[in-house]
Amino acid sequence: MASVYKKGERWWLRFKGADGRWHGAPARATTKPAARLEALERERLARQQREGLSPSDDNRRRMFGELMDLWQERYGSRLRSQTIQLSVEKHLRPALGKLLLGGAAAALPPLLNSKIGKLSPSSLNHLRAYCHRLYAVASMRSVSWWMLPNPVNRLELPKFKEARRKRATVPAEDVPRILAALTPEWRPLFATAFFLGLRRGELLALQKDDIDLREWTITVRRSNDAEVTKGGDDGTVPIPEPLRPYLDAAINLSPSKWVFPAADGTQRAADTNLKAVLRRALGRADIVEGYEHRCRKPGCGHVEKADDRANRRCPKDNRALWIRPLPKKGIVFHSLRHTTATLLARAKVHPSVAQKILRHANIETTLAIYTHVDGIEDMRAAVAKLDFGPLAERAPAPVVPIRRIETFATNLLPAAVFPKDEAPDRAGNASKIRGLQWSGRLDLNQRPLAPQASALPGCATPRMYGSSGGSVVTSAPAAVNAGRGATAPCSARSSAPARAGT
C-alpha cells in the first residue's frame, strides 16, 4: 500500500507503479495528510493503467498530430476520396498538431467557431466528425491513448446548422437539347447518366463486360479505381430502349475494355472535369441565365450583361464585344442523378422501384434527398387532376332523418359502464319521473328513459315509436303489460336501486 516519508525538508511518496514495481517520487504537497492522499491517487492511477482502464504515462503524452497519423494509416488510406485528408491537413494540423490530446480537445471548439464564415457549415461538420472519429480510435483498447468520454459530442461541440439545400435539376424538355449540344465523344456518357442516374465514378469505371447486350442490362460493380461502388454492392439495372443506340456507339468506338475511355483508350482520371463539359453544353443549348458581353481589348475591361446574345459594340473603342453565355447556376454533373430520380417520380414510378434503379440503401434517401417534386408547378399539375364534374347540375344532397343520425351516433359512442360500488347519477326528481313512466303518462317533450329501464336484467326492452314530428317516444304498452303482470318482477326490482340511490 502507498506510504509517505520525509526526506530532508520534503515529503516523498512510495507507491507501486504501472509496471508492478515500487517507485519513489517527491510529493507536491507540503503536509503529511496531503502527501498521503497524493500517494494513494498515484497508486490508484497505476492500478488502472495495469488493468487497461487508463492510458499509460507514455500514451498520456501523445499529441494530436500522432493521432492523425495513426488514423490515416489505419483507416484514411483506404478511403476512395482523400478530400477529408487535404482539409484536415490545412485546417487542423497547423493549430492542433503539436498539442496533447487533452489540450487539443479543449482548443477544438474555439478553432472551429473561429472558422464560421470562412468555411461552410457542411465543411465544419465534416471536420467535427473527423475529430470525433479520431478520439473514438484513441479510446480503443488496442490503442489506449484516451480513456475519457469522447470530447467531440453534441453537448461539448454541437453540430453546425446547415441550410437545407435543394439540388437543381434539369427539366425533361431540356434533356434532348443538352444531349444535342454535346460532342459525340461525351454524348453516350451523359445519356447514360440521364437515363440511369449512374454516378460519375461508376460511369468512368464502366467496362464492356458489365453490359449484357442480349438482356440489355448494366451491372454496376466498381467506381473509379475502387473495386466496389459507393453502396458496396453490385447493382443490375435495365437499359431503356432510347439509351441503347448511345451505348452501341460507345462500345463500337472504344478501343479498350472501357465503355467511356480517354482518347488513348485508357480509363479516364477520377478528377475528370465533367462539370465543365456540362456547363459548356448548357451554354450552347441556351439554358442560361443571361449573356456576358465583354471587350477583349487589353486594358479596356468593359463588361455588360444582357438577356440576349445580340451583337454589341464597346462604347470606348467601338470594338465588337465578345459574347459568353452564363449557364444556369446550381446545375452540376451530380444534378443529373437528381434529375433521374425526379423524372421517375413525375412518371408515377413506385418509390421502391426508383430506389432499386438508383441503388440507394434506404428509400428515405430516394424520397427526401433525390426526389424534387415540391415545386409550385408540380402542385399545380396535381390539383389540376381533380375533377368533380358539373357541380351546378348535381342534385342537392338528401336530408338525413334525425333517427338515422341518432342511430349512427349511438353506434359510434361507447356504452356507459358504471363501477360496481357506484350508483348511476340520477336527477333530483327521479321518483317523480319514474312514476310518470310507470303510469304511461310521460309527456311527449320529456326525454325517454327506455335505455335505463332496458339496462335492468330480465326486463323487456320497450319498443320505440317515431311520431310524425320525428320525435322518439316510449310506447304505452309497457304500462299495459305491467297491469297484466307480465313485467311485474321487473318493476319490483327497479324500485330497489331507486331506494338505494336516495
Side-chain angles (χ1 to χ4, degrees):
M1 185 175 180
S3 60
V4 297
Y5 60 94
K6 198 167 187 179
K7 184 177 180 181
E9 298 296 330
R10 298 190 62 180
W11 289 101
W12 283 68
L13 313 177
R14 188 172 183 272
F15 58 94
K16 185 176 291 187
D19 54 358
R21 299 179 180 180
W22 289 96
H23 295 268
R28 293 190 297 269
T30 57
T31 61
K32 184 175 182 180
R36 183 171 180 78
L37 291 177
E38 185 178 345
L40 292 174
E41 179 64 23
R42 294 283 292 270
E43 191 171 72
R44 183 187 66 84
L45 178 60
R47 183 173 62 255
Q48 290 182 347
Q49 290 175 347
R50 287 197 303 271
E51 296 174 354
L53 301 177
S54 181
S56 63
D57 292 337
D58 292 337
N59 290 342
R60 289 163 65 91
R61 292 189 289 268
R62 297 288 185 176
M63 292 185 294
F64 190 81
E66 296 180 74
L67 184 57
M68 292 177 63
D69 296 336
L70 176 66
W71 182 87
Q72 178 62 21
E73 179 183 354
R74 285 194 176 189
Y75 308 102
S77 58
R78 297 185 301 189
L79 295 178
R80 293 194 303 270
S81 174
Q82 294 297 317
T83 304
I84 186 63
Q85 184 64 21
L86 299 176
S87 180
V88 299
E89 291 292 338
K90 179 179 180 180
H91 298 289
L92 296 183
R93 189 181 289 273
L96 306 178
K98 296 183 179 180
L99 297 180
L100 298 177
L101 295 183
L108 180 62
L111 174 64
L112 294 184
N113 289 328
S114 65
K115 294 183 178 295
I116 296 178
K118 302 177 183 177
L119 297 177
S120 66
S122 177
S123 300
L124 293 175
N125 283 329
H126 282 307
L127 295 177
R128 176 191 176 279
Y130 170 82
C131 294
H132 184 275
R133 291 193 293 268
L134 287 190
Y135 281 96
V137 172
S139 302
M140 296 169 59
R141 293 290 296 270
S142 60
V143 180
S144 298
W145 290 9
W146 184 264
M147 292 301 173
L148 298 177
N150 197 318
V152 188
N153 52 58
R154 292 182 181 271
L155 296 179
E156 299 289 342
L157 184 57
K159 284 187 175 182
F160 296 89
K161 187 175 182 180
E162 301 182 25
R164 188 174 181 180
R165 183 180 60 177
K166 178 183 176 181
R167 178 77 68 177
T169 59
V170 180
E173 60 271 14
D174 290 344
V175 173
R177 297 167 56 191
I178 295 176
L179 294 178
L182 289 164
T183 60
E185 176 189 3
W186 294 107
R187 194 174 296 140
L189 185 147
F190 278 81
T192 308
F194 271 121
F195 277 101
L196 299 179
L198 269 65
R199 303 178 180 91
R200 180 182 63 178
E202 296 168 350
L203 288 167
L204 300 182
L206 191 63
Q207 299 182 8
K208 295 180 180 179
D209 294 339
D210 301 331
I211 301 178
D212 187 348
L213 296 179
R214 177 173 300 178
E215 298 293 334
W216 287 109
T217 59
I218 293 180
T219 303
V220 186
R221 295 188 174 94
R222 60 191 69 83
S223 176
N224 289 327
D225 297 331
E227 292 300 323
V228 294
T229 61
K230 182 179 180 180
D233 299 328
D234 297 350
T236 301
V237 292
I239 302 174
E241 186 71 30
L243 180 60
R244 297 175 185 179
Y246 293 99
L247 289 177
D248 274 336
I251 293 174
N252 293 333
L253 292 176
S254 173
S256 61
K257 65 178 182 179
W258 308 103
V259 179
F260 308 114
D264 57 354
T266 60
Q267 182 184 6
R268 292 188 182 273
D271 58 351
T272 302
N273 195 354
L274 298 181
K275 176 183 176 181
V277 178
L278 176 60
R279 302 285 286 179
R280 289 193 295 267
L282 290 174
R284 289 192 291 267
D286 285 337
I287 305 176
V288 296
E289 296 181 346
Y291 298 89
E292 181 183 83
H293 301 259
R294 178 184 296 272
C295 181
R296 305 187 68 177
K297 180 182 178 181
C300 179
H302 175 74
V303 178
E304 57 182 86
K305 293 182 180 180
D307 295 334
D308 56 73
R309 57 188 313 160
N311 294 328
R312 287 174 171 80
R313 292 191 171 273
C314 179
K316 297 180 180 179
D317 52 19
N318 202 29
R319 289 194 177 194
L321 297 179
W322 179 60
I323 304 173
R324 184 172 73 92
L326 301 176
K328 278 189 176 181
K329 295 181 179 179
I331 299 180
V332 296
F333 186 80
H334 196 66
S335 301
L336 276 57
R337 184 170 171 83
H338 287 252
T339 300
T340 304
T342 302
L343 295 181
L344 288 174
R346 289 175 179 169
K348 303 299 183 294
V349 175
H350 196 277
S352 61
V353 179
Q355 176 195 0
K356 292 184 179 296
I357 294 175
L358 297 172
R359 293 163 288 107
H360 286 147
N362 193 345
I363 196 172
E364 296 276 339
T365 305
T366 308
L367 294 176
I369 299 179
Y370 281 82
T371 304
H372 308 282
V373 291
D374 54 348
I376 188 65
E377 294 302 325
D378 295 315
M379 292 186 286
R380 194 190 309 278
V383 298
K385 296 180 180 179
L386 297 178
D387 184 13
F388 300 105
L391 297 179
E393 300 177 2
R394 293 191 177 222
V399 179
V400 181
I402 298 178
R403 287 182 58 188
R404 291 180 59 186
I405 296 177
E406 291 179 352
T407 306
F408 177 71
T410 304
N411 294 335
L412 288 181
L413 295 177
V417 178
F418 297 100
K420 295 181 180 180
D421 308 348
E422 182 180 348
D425 295 335
R426 298 183 183 276
N429 56 350
S431 59
K432 181 178 179 181
I433 296 176
R434 188 167 55 254
L436 291 174
Q437 181 184 7
W438 292 342
S439 63
R441 293 183 289 106
L442 183 63
D443 188 78
L444 293 178
N445 295 327
Q446 178 65 38
R447 186 178 181 85
L449 297 180
Q452 295 183 1
S454 64
L456 298 175
C459 295
T461 304
R463 295 161 59 188
M464 311 297 288
Y465 293 92
S467 63
S468 59
S471 304
V472 181
V473 298
T474 306
S475 63
V480 177
N481 292 334
R484 295 178 180 176
T487 57
C490 176
S491 61
R493 284 193 299 271
S494 64
S495 61
R499 288 193 298 271
T502 57

